[in-house]
Amino acid sequence: MRIFALLISAILGLAVTLPAQAQVANPRDAIPPMVAAVEARDANAIAALYTEDAIILGAGRPVVAGREAIRDSWIQSFAGGYSVLEVGRPRTERGADRALMVFLWQATIQPEGGEAQQIVGRSMLYFTRVEGGWLISADMWQPAG
């Protein structure tokens, strides 16, 4: 019986943990934790900023749908060397329960053993008011320049 309990504990310990929501008080407040999560390579922290049914629409890429898929996408990005995110001054328009943010960003991607590459992009984040704050419900980006 003890071996069975240890086996169950080990399986549960290996189970993938979905990120909890990390709503922010104001849509602009999402930028610092996102930048910090990229620096820490914490895909769960990034995914927690999104609604459960959020989507990411990236230029020339398949749609990423749902918080779990967003987390998995970031895990892949970090494995590919994504390590730094710098965000320019965002422009935000906000209503009672929806908000939109547009900004330029620069990312550094340095694959293991490879040269660092700089990518510049433009993003539009669509926020939804939830209990306790705001979460990203749609994220659209494209290369800039």
Side-chain angles (χ1 to χ4, degrees), residues 34 46 50 54-58 64 70 74 103 105 122-126 136-141:
M34 185 173 282
I46 293 171
Y50 290 81
I55 61 170
I56 297 179
L57 305 169
V64 179
I70 291 168
W74 276 100
F103 56 90
W105 51 266
R122 184 178 327 270
S123 285
M124 182 168 62
L125 301 180
Y126 188 75
I136 302 165
S137 55
D139 178 344
M140 295 167 272
W141 66 269

Side-chain angles (χ1 to χ4, degrees), residues 37-107:
V38 168
E39 185 177 327
R41 296 183 180 188
D42 186 345
N44 281 324
I46 293 171
L49 295 167
Y50 290 81
T51 61
E52 187 62 42
D53 61 349
I55 61 170
I56 297 179
L57 305 169
R61 297 177 186 245
V63 174
V64 179
R67 187 182 293 143
E68 182 177 358
I70 291 168
R71 184 216 41 225
D72 293 347
S73 175
W74 276 100
I75 288 170
Q76 290 176 358
S77 292
F78 294 142
Y82 198 120
S83 59
V84 176
L85 175 64
E86 299 172 36
V87 175
R89 174 180 275 149
R91 187 180 98 215
T92 306
E93 294 184 18
R94 182 175 140 181
D97 64 348
R98 303 278 188 235
L100 184 72
M101 179 188 301
V102 178
F103 56 90
L104 288 171
W105 51 266
Q106 180 173 312

Side-chain angles (χ1 to χ4, degrees), residues 21-47:
Q21 290 183 3
Q23 63 271 16
V24 293
N26 184 316
R28 280 193 175 177
D29 295 342
I31 300 298
M34 185 173 282
V35 170
V38 168
E39 185 177 327
R41 296 183 180 188
D42 186 345
N44 281 324
I46 293 171

